[in-house]
Amino acid sequence: MRQEDPVATSAPVETAAMRRAIELAARGLGHTSPNPVVGCVVLDSAGRTAGEGWHQRAGGPHAEVHALQAAGERARVAPRWSPWSPATTPVAPAPVPRR
């Protein structure tokens, strides 16, 4: 079975979120080995960015943790976009990290 390209078949706001996640991932270049660089964008229900994050260093929190913390309560009903997440489609609802 051929897998669809999630960026090519997404709405413009989702495509922009995926591209932004890739930009964020680049911030980790040279700092995350042996782990991959990862970026994550959390959108609110209106499609606005609620939180962003990237994997900043090996052994540190994952990109999704940073993005969910930045989104706070808005993450309760928001999909998140990360090109390196196990799923290439929105994952919702995501749990909000405890502080």
Side-chain angles (χ1 to χ4, degrees):
M1 176 190 253
R2 192 171 145 248
Q3 183 176 354
E4 294 291 328
D5 177 353
V7 175
T9 59
S10 298
V13 69
E14 295 163 350
T15 300
M18 182 65 79
R19 292 187 195 287
R20 178 64 179 152
I22 293 168
E23 290 173 6
L24 290 165
R27 294 181 180 185
L29 287 170
H31 303 285
T32 62
S33 182
N35 301 324
V37 294
V38 180
C40 181
V41 175
V42 176
L43 300 176
D44 67 14
S45 59
R48 295 179 302 250
T49 298
E52 297 182 335
W54 68 95
H55 184 52
Q56 299 174 6
R57 63 178 175 78
H62 289 220
E64 294 84 356
V65 172
H66 291 293
L68 290 169
Q69 286 177 335
E73 288 297 316
R74 295 180 294 172
R76 287 202 180 272
V77 294
R80 70 175 188 260
W81 295 91
S82 178
W84 292 106
S85 281
T88 56
T89 56
V91 180
V96 176
R98 301 273 182 229
R99 295 181 192 209

